[in-house]
Amino acid sequence: MTKTTQPAKQVNEVVQRAKKTLNDLDAKSWVKATKSWFVINPRSRSREQMSHPAKYPEELVRRFVTYFTKEEGWILDPFAGVGSTLVACRESDRNAVGIELNKEFVDIGQDVLESTAGNGYQALLQGDSLSSKELITEHFTEEAPLFDYVITSPPYWNMLRKSRGGNKSVHKEREEQGLKQYYSESENDLGNIEVYEDYIKGVTKILIRLSPLLSDKAYLTIVVQNMRDVDGILRPIAWDLARELSKDYDLRQEMIWCQDNKKLGCWGYPTTYVSNVHHHYCIILQKRPIE
Ligand SMILES: C[S@@+](CC[C@H](N)C(=O)[O-])C[C@H]1O[C@@H](n2cnc3c(N)ncnc32)[C@H](O)[C@@H]1O
């Protein structure tokens, strides 16, 4: 059990007197949300949602949006997939815009959103998030909102296209079930970039271009994993993105999302070290105040 250093009641009284500017949490929930690792096991997905190869859980989004925004805040997800961010925002009374390249995923996300109870305005736009500004300006015929927070998960390079032992069996399983193994064939899909450095540049460019759409000091959370390539070398996606993005945003922290309900694979036995990777990095950045 996590112990706090100050009694929550005491902290709460101090907060009552100060204005809550970041979120609507009481002191106890605030402290809990700041723990740098946590376990979230995704809820089961509908058959429709299963057709996306790498959806993240709504519970993960809810944990972050309730910490980094207040009710009715605006959230942006430039790699929205089947709209998990938007679903979580609806369930948490937040407004959200998602951008997703693949129309098939957009359609699934819109269906799921329609059947989700909650409040706020949520829109899932189809397009290349390199043009986020143009897509958002076009969507809001009147003035577009400034976003208070970004939460997103880009493709983990082209790893869905590579056979890497355990990954291969996941591919096989999905193939057998008639499910999609990749995001798309589009050349604008970051999951189709071959050269690692080009992929890092591609994600960085998209995320840095979002800056004018964000309110002053807005936070961003980027969910990624470091990946072992077919040659056995680890591609430190999370660390490389953190380094590149910190040239334009302030790097605040990393949090580790752990999953403890995944099957352990017997990779490498009995000769080679290959780990079962059941955690993701959540990189926390913040827009620099305009000087
Ligand atoms: C890791 S998935 C995100 C899944 C999402 N968080 C969810 O829960 O459904 C990455 C997504 O980025 C999309 N994508 C790749 N390149 C893109 C681009 N240039 N613009 C917009 N979306 C892109 C892919 O189609 C894929 O759905």
Side-chain angles (χ1 to χ4, degrees), residues 48-238:
E48 261 194 315
Q49 289 171 322
M50 282 288 289
S51 77
H52 192 284
K55 180 192 164 322
Y56 63 24
E58 288 77 5
E59 295 86 335
L60 175 77
V61 179
R62 191 149 357 107
R63 180 185 175 97
F64 281 112
V65 296
T66 52
Y67 186 81
F68 284 113
T69 66
K70 296 168 77 71
E71 264 185 28
E72 298 179 11
W74 280 90
I75 289 106
L76 176 60
D77 180 351
F79 301 106
V82 287
S84 317
T85 298
L86 281 74
V87 168
C89 286
R90 178 164 293 190
E91 291 171 343
S92 323
D93 301 344
R94 265 78 174 165
N95 304 301
V97 174
I99 298 171
E100 167 56 44
L101 191 63
N102 187 337
K103 174 141 185 350
E104 226 178 288
F105 299 150
V106 172
D107 291 343
I108 294 171
Q110 279 166 348
D111 280 356
V112 177
L113 257 182
E114 268 168 35
S115 60
T116 302
N119 292 303
Y121 175 87
Q122 295 86 20
L124 186 47
L125 314 182
Q126 195 264 317
D128 183 343
S129 51
L130 194 56
S131 306
S132 294
K133 188 168 178 216
E134 293 75 5
L135 290 165
I136 289 168
T137 312
E138 194 183 315
H139 177 75
F140 289 94
T141 43
E142 297 187 0
E143 204 178 337
L146 276 180
F147 292 91
D148 305 302
Y149 179 53
V150 173
I151 179 159
T152 198
S153 178
Y156 296 179
W157 188 27
N158 58 5
M159 288 296 168
L160 291 178
R161 294 203 169 264
K162 293 187 169 169
S163 298
R164 295 165 302 130
N167 181 278
K168 189 173 180 183
S169 65
V170 174
H171 273 199
K172 265 233 150 66
E173 255 177 53
R174 289 187 63 87
E175 194 179 1
E176 279 161 17
Q177 293 173 38
L179 296 170
K180 259 179 117 58
Q181 291 138 275
Y182 323 113
Y183 300 127
S184 72
E185 299 299 333
S186 167
E187 59 179 21
N188 298 338
D189 182 339
L190 296 175
N192 292 336
I193 297 179
E194 273 189 31
V195 178
Y196 178 68
E197 289 72 20
D198 292 346
Y199 157 78
I200 294 291
K201 276 189 203 146
V203 180
T204 305
K205 190 170 175 185
I206 288 175
L207 294 175
I208 285 180
R209 275 199 187 182
L210 301 182
S211 182
L213 303 174
L214 309 183
S215 58
D216 209 17
K217 295 193 188 169
Y219 286 92
L220 303 90
T221 299
I222 318 301
V223 182
V224 276
Q225 236 176 6
N226 293 334
M227 304 290 297
R228 180 181 180 273
D229 208 343
V230 282
D231 55 5
I233 301 293
L234 186 76
R235 301 296 178 174
I237 297 176

Side-chain angles (χ1 to χ4, degrees), residues 219-267:
Y219 286 92
L220 303 90
T221 299
I222 318 301
V223 182
V224 276
Q225 236 176 6
N226 293 334
M227 304 290 297
R228 180 181 180 273
D229 208 343
V230 282
D231 55 5
I233 301 293
L234 186 76
R235 301 296 178 174
I237 297 176
W239 304 338
D240 285 339
L241 281 180
R243 190 195 58 233
E244 288 307 308
L245 290 167
S246 65
K247 292 177 184 165
D248 285 71
Y249 295 112
D250 287 334
L251 180 60
R252 292 289 177 213
Q253 189 54 269
E254 92 277 354
M255 287 203 173
I256 316 275
W257 158 35
C258 304
Q259 287 177 266
D260 67 0
N261 65 345
K262 281 179 72 173
K263 272 190 277 179
L264 285 167
C266 186
W267 323 135

